[in-house]
Amino acid sequence: MTDALKRLSDEGVAIWLDDLSRKRITSGNLAELIDQQHIVGVTTNPSIFQKAISHGDGYEQQLTDLATRKVTVDEAIRMITTADVRDAADILRPVFDATDGQDGRVSIEVDPRLAHHTDATVAEAKQLAWLVDRPNTLIKIPATKAGLPAITEVIGKGISVNVTLIFSLERYREVMDAYLAGLEKAKASGLDLSKIHSVASFFVSRVDSEIDKRLDAVGTPEAKALKGKAALANARLAYQAFEEVFSSDRWAALDKAQANKQRPLWASTGVKDPAYKDTLYVDDLVAPGTVNTMPEATLDATADHGQITGNTIAGTYDQARAELDAVAKLGISYDDVVQLLEDEGVEKFEASWIDLLNSTEAELKRLAPSEG
C-alpha cells in the first residue's frame, strides 16, 4: 500500500467514492473508507442504486414495510434511496463540519426521466432536499439544456447541487454561468451564500471510449497515436475554463458575499480500455480545488500503485488544445461526440431507473401481505 491517496488529498483533490449501498453503510465499510482511505464524499446515480437494491441485501425489511403500506413503486424507491443517502450523510457529517461544508457530501439524483423537463426537475430537487433533510446533501441535476435553468432556480433557492453528465467544454461554461446566476438570485433573496455549495461533474473515460473508437475507424498511424489523449485534454481544458470563470469580475462580486466556487468533479474515472493504466484518470488530473469520484476498483488501484507527482494539469493547456485540434483534423466531430455522450448518459440512467422500478415492483408484489 502506498500513501498515494494521502498525497492526492494533500494536492487539494477531494476523494469521493462513486458508490453506495445499505450493506456498505451498515457493515461499517463506509466509515472505514473515510477513516483509512481519505474518502470525504459519496456520489450516487440511478445505475448505482439499481445495482445496490436489485442485487444487495439489507432492503428486505423496508421493502416488506412498504409493501404492507401499499405504496407506489416510485414512492418505495424514493423512500429506500433517500434512507441510504440520509444514513451516509450522517456518517460523513464530521467531515462536513471539519471542512466547513465543502466536503462530507452525499449526492442523490433527480429522476432521470425528468432530464428534459425544467419545472419537474426543480420540483423534484426541492422534494429530494426536503426528504433527505441533511445539510450535507447535493442534489444531482443533469447538464441538459432543460437542466441549465433548473440549476439556476434550485441554487437560487439555497439548495446545493451536483451538476452531472457534463461532456462538452461549451456546456461546462453554460453550467458555470447557470451556477453564478443561481447565486445572484440567492443573494437578491437575502440567502447566506456561504451555505450554498456545488460541484460540476465532468465525465472523463467515456470521451476516450467514443473518440478512440472513431480513431480506430480512421486507422492511420496519426489516428492511433492520439488514442487515450482526448479525455484528459478535454478535462484539462475544462479546468482552464474553471480558472477563467472563477477569477472574473462577476465572480469577484459573489466571492465578496462569501460564495463558494463550484468545484470541477472528475466523474467516470475508471478506465474502460484495459490497455490504459488503471489510475490514468486520477494520476493525470491532479489540481487544487477539484474532486475525483472513484469507483472502488479505481480507489483501490490508486491506493496500491497510484503515481501522484504533484499538479498534472498546470501547463498542459496548449498541448491539450493541440490534441483536440488534431482529432478534429481527422474528421472526428467534437460536437457530435459530446452530444452523443450526453444523450447516451441520460438514456443509460433512465434505463437503470426503469430496471430499478421493475425489480422493486416485483419485490413489493412478492412481499405484499395476502388479503383476508
Side-chain angles (χ1 to χ4, degrees), residues 89-213:
D90 288 344
I91 294 167
L92 277 153
R93 183 61 190 260
V95 177
F96 173 81
D97 292 337
T99 59
D100 203 20
Q102 179 157 265
D103 288 308
R105 296 267 173 184
V106 187
S107 298
I108 183 168
E109 190 147 346
V110 296
D111 185 331
R113 295 171 297 177
L114 307 177
H116 301 297
H117 306 280
T118 303
D119 292 346
T121 294
V122 172
E124 170 98 342
K126 285 157 60 181
Q127 172 74 357
L128 282 175
W130 176 82
L131 263 178
V132 177
D133 193 26
R134 294 294 184 272
N136 50 330
T137 313
L138 289 170
I139 307 301
K140 282 178 99 170
I141 296 176
T144 55
K145 276 289 182 195
L148 295 169
I151 293 157
T152 297
E153 193 66 23
V154 172
I155 290 288
K157 292 182 185 304
I159 297 169
S160 294
V161 171
N162 175 343
V163 184
T164 189
L165 290 175
I166 309 171
F167 296 94
S168 91
L169 294 165
E170 182 188 358
R171 183 56 54 84
Y172 178 43
R173 285 185 180 274
E174 291 174 334
V175 164
M176 289 188 284
D177 181 70
Y179 175 60
L180 297 185
L183 288 175
E184 286 157 354
K185 280 186 87 154
K187 187 181 172 192
S189 300
L191 296 180
D192 180 357
L193 300 194
S194 72
K195 303 288 187 213
I196 305 170
H197 287 259
S198 184
V199 293
S201 295
F202 199 87
F203 278 55
V204 186
S205 65
R206 294 186 199 180
V207 173
D208 269 343
S209 298
E210 185 58 34
I211 287 183
D212 283 0
K213 192 166 67 180

Side-chain angles (χ1 to χ4, degrees), residues 202 204 235-236 238-239 264-269 285 290-293 313:
F202 199 87
V204 186
R236 286 166 169 173
Y239 191 78
L265 177 151
W266 311 128
S268 183
T269 54
L285 288 176
T290 58
V291 180
N292 195 311
T293 185
I313 292 182

Side-chain angles (χ1 to χ4, degrees), residues 38-53:
H38 305 279
I39 291 293
V40 293
V42 168
T43 48
T44 69
N45 62 45
S47 300
I48 284 169
F49 278 130
Q50 191 270 332
K51 185 178 159 200
I53 297 165

Side-chain angles (χ1 to χ4, degrees), residues 190-269:
L191 296 180
D192 180 357
L193 300 194
S194 72
K195 303 288 187 213
I196 305 170
H197 287 259
S198 184
V199 293
S201 295
F202 199 87
F203 278 55
V204 186
S205 65
R206 294 186 199 180
V207 173
D208 269 343
S209 298
E210 185 58 34
I211 287 183
D212 283 0
K213 192 166 67 180
R214 298 183 188 208
L215 289 168
D216 279 334
V218 174
T220 62
E222 293 83 4
K224 290 193 184 298
L226 287 166
K227 285 183 68 177
K229 298 201 165 155
L232 287 174
N234 199 39
R236 286 166 169 173
L237 292 173
Y239 191 78
Q240 182 185 33
F242 160 74
E243 288 184 315
E244 283 172 16
V245 169
F246 289 97
S247 59
S248 66
D249 291 343
R250 184 183 182 191
W251 169 249
L254 291 162
D255 187 39
K256 217 173 273 182
Q258 265 75 53
N260 297 291
K261 289 180 181 177
Q262 182 186 54
R263 289 182 293 171
L265 177 151
W266 311 128
S268 183
T269 54

